[in-house]
Amino acid sequence: MAKKKKRKKVTSIGRNPRNINVGSFIFLGIFIYLLVSVYSYMTQEKVRVYEVAEGSIVDDRSYTGLILRQESVKYTDAAGYVNYYVREGKKTAVGTCVYSIDETGEMKKFLDEHQSEGSSFSSENLEELKRQLSSFSLSYRDNQFDSVYDVKYNLEAAVLEYANLGAIANLSTLMQENGISFQQVYADQAGVVSYGLDSFEGKTVQEVSKEDFKRDNYQRKVTKAGTQVAADTAVYKVVTSETWNLVFLLNEEEKEEYGEESSLTISFPDYKMELSGSFEIFTGSDGESYGNVTFDRYMTEFLSERYVNFEIQSDHVTGLKIPIRSVITKEFYVVPVDYLVQMGTSSNRGFLREIYTAEGSSAEFVSATIYNATEEVYYVDKEEFSAGDVLIKENSDERYQVGPVATLQGVYNVNKGYTVFKRVEILTSNDSYYIIEKGSSYGLAVYDHIVLDASTVEADVTIYQQS
């Protein structure tokens, strides 16, 4: 009998399901989140932020003033060549020899022939010339190019004057031996000598008009040493007083602003100098209003100037400095201070609002953010209440209906990553910045971060900062 073949047991193996990799799903989710976040950040409008710092604003106003002094012009009695003995800006007494007149020209000819024997500069002369050049270099402005000519004339006059003084002093004996005669002229008034002459000598403050401030028409003449002059020619002037006046035109706004002032502090940027003087407002010969500041010192510093640029120093206001465009005006409800309720912690403050239910009226506590406080009222956000809401005074039957509003100026603080309104109290401003009170309640502090342009955001929104 044949043996049966033993069947082999075959087990069917089906397709195993794939193993689920949870880590891959987590990674994919994170990747998608990052993509969305980056896209959101790239497409979100960035908000520029400003860091609050301490600062100040000086509201100085710039003017061009007309300088008036007590000046007396001196004229020659005879024609001839003029030679000076006194340098510009030197104070002389009565009887001092100021200049000489060489009627024949022999003195001039002799000096020209013997220049090498007498025309040496002293160290004092050289220092004075260096000082004038240095002062001009530091104060020069492109819009004041006409001042170059004034300096040129002053330097030429100074060089010739120093040369003449040295030559005359050293060669006087030789001139006497050669029989050269000349007429010496002596000062009949004490004062400071100046050789720059214009049409303003003798003009008084009350005679000033707008025409006097048109510098295009201004001419200043300096008679150089060695120049031939006719009889009755103006050759120098003497300033007889240290007192001098700075006159400038005022508009109506400035007239009102300075009307109560009796003194002003004036800054001269080109001279790096500040002076205080008595102040008055007067009416000029043309009926216009002018300011007049009177000084009693430093007259010689401005001896060669008829016009000078200056600034009126105002009070320096210090505080926190913020951009003007960061400030907005916002409305708030005002609630009497008696209605504030303290619930537990000091930060949990609010008001009791009356509500009506089927059982009757009751009170609910509404937490509120205070944005400003006075002795009478609190300022609360209009989003927290509605006009017509009735507030209950704690432990009293008194009621207050929400409705009256008031405005506050403020900025959006972003220290916490979202915009929070903070009030500001403006002290002063210029074209770009406000100075606000430092340390005010409900206000800003140094190093706070605020939105640079408040018109680009709203309150209580998350922002993406851009420095």
Side-chain angles (χ1 to χ4, degrees), residues 185-427:
V185 181
Y186 300 90
D188 60 357
Q189 280 183 296
V192 178
V193 170
S194 176
Y195 300 107
L197 300 170
D198 54 26
S199 59
F200 288 94
E201 290 85 11
K203 182 180 280 291
T204 64
V205 169
Q206 286 71 27
E207 294 172 344
V208 169
S209 69
K210 290 177 89 171
E211 291 295 317
D212 297 327
F213 291 85
K214 295 181 178 180
R215 299 183 66 174
D216 294 342
N217 301 328
Y218 177 72
Q219 292 184 341
R220 182 172 181 267
K221 179 182 178 182
V222 178
T223 303
K224 302 176 184 178
T227 301
Q228 186 177 19
V229 297
D232 202 32
T233 297
V235 288
Y236 81 100
K237 66 185 176 186
V238 58
V239 184
T240 58
S241 174
E242 280 291 325
T243 300
W244 55 288
N245 302 97
L246 181 63
V247 180
F248 57 101
L249 185 64
L250 293 173
N251 59 35
E252 288 301 317
E253 179 183 350
E254 294 163 340
K255 181 181 176 181
E256 182 177 351
E257 180 177 352
Y258 301 127
E260 301 298 322
E261 302 292 338
S262 59
S263 64
L264 291 177
T265 298
I266 303 298
S267 171
F268 300 95
D270 295 342
Y271 288 82
K272 305 295 188 292
M273 182 186 295
E274 283 188 10
L275 291 175
S276 294
S278 60
F279 173 73
E280 64 174 348
I281 296 176
F282 70 96
T283 302
S285 61
D286 57 354
E288 297 289 342
S289 296
Y290 297 88
N292 173 35
V293 186
T294 303
F295 304 101
D296 57 8
R297 55 179 180 154
Y298 295 111
M299 182 275 296
T300 54
E301 296 292 324
F302 300 88
L303 184 63
S304 62
E305 304 285 354
R306 185 60 72 181
Y307 298 95
V308 65
N309 297 322
F310 69 94
E311 295 175 351
I312 298 177
Q313 296 288 321
S314 62
D315 293 334
H316 291 213
V317 179
T318 59
L320 301 180
K321 192 173 186 178
I322 61 174
I324 286 179
R325 55 182 172 153
S326 67
V327 177
I328 60 168
T329 300
K330 188 174 179 180
E331 275 193 347
F332 295 86
Y333 287 128
V334 289
V335 179
V337 296
D338 295 340
Y339 284 78
L340 185 69
V341 177
Q342 195 82 35
M343 298 292 288
T345 64
S346 59
S347 61
N348 193 14
R349 301 187 300 173
F351 302 92
L352 296 175
R353 178 168 56 189
E354 189 172 37
I355 59 173
Y356 297 91
T357 63
E359 290 77 21
S361 65
S362 62
E364 67 173 353
F365 176 77
V366 180
S367 180
T369 303
I370 307 299
Y371 290 89
N372 188 33
T374 68
E375 293 182 357
E376 294 81 22
V377 297
Y378 288 114
Y379 289 69
V380 296
D381 201 321
K382 293 182 72 174
E383 298 297 324
E384 296 172 343
F385 294 97
S386 299
D389 282 351
V390 175
L391 304 183
I392 303 171
K393 182 185 290 188
E394 191 175 21
N395 301 321
S396 172
D397 293 332
E398 294 184 40
R399 301 289 189 270
Y400 176 81
Q401 188 173 46
V402 175
V405 296
T407 59
L408 290 175
Q409 287 183 300
V411 298
Y412 286 122
N413 183 295
V414 293
N415 290 351
K416 298 179 179 180
Y418 58 90
T419 55
V420 177
F421 182 89
K422 293 286 186 179
R423 68 173 286 265
V424 298
E425 187 172 339
I426 297 171
L427 302 177

